[in-house]
């Protein structure tokens, strides 16, 4: 997120960044941080549709790199 262009850092970006930092610090759950990041990515148009399950969560078969876990 630190590489995100400064000109595109709006309120959704700021909220997601604060949420991710809070999750890292143990001040909120990792799931809450993930949801904030996914919301930012969706709003920014950078979340691939195939990465999202019908229930709104990230596909559990994908790793952070986007490759399968096996």
């Amino acid at each position: 997120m630190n590489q995100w262009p400064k000109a595109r850092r709006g309120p959704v970006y700021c909220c997601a960044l604060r949420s991710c930092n809070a999750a890292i610090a143990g001040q909120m759950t990792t799931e809450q941080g993930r949801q904030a990041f996914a919301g930012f990515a969706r709003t920014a148009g950078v979340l691939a549709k195939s990465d999202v399950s019908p229930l709104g969560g990230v596909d559990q078969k994908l790793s952070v790199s986007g490759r399968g876990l096996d």
Side-chain angles (χ1 to χ4, degrees):
M1 291 190 68
N2 294 328
Q3 300 297 318
W4 192 249
K6 290 183 181 180
R8 295 189 63 196
R9 295 181 184 185
V12 176
Y13 166 87
C14 292
C15 180
L17 183 62
R18 283 192 307 269
S19 296
C20 288
N21 287 331
I24 290 168
Q27 298 169 338
M28 69 170 39
T29 68
T30 54
E31 177 61 19
Q32 290 170 317
R34 185 201 65 78
Q35 288 178 356
F37 178 78
F40 158 72
R42 190 176 307 105
T43 300
V46 296
L47 183 65
K49 291 181 183 178
S50 63
D51 291 346
V52 179
S53 74
L55 298 177
V58 174
D59 187 340
Q60 298 299 315
K61 295 179 185 174
L62 296 178
S63 67
V64 173
S65 67
R67 294 186 292 258
L69 296 175
D70 33 3

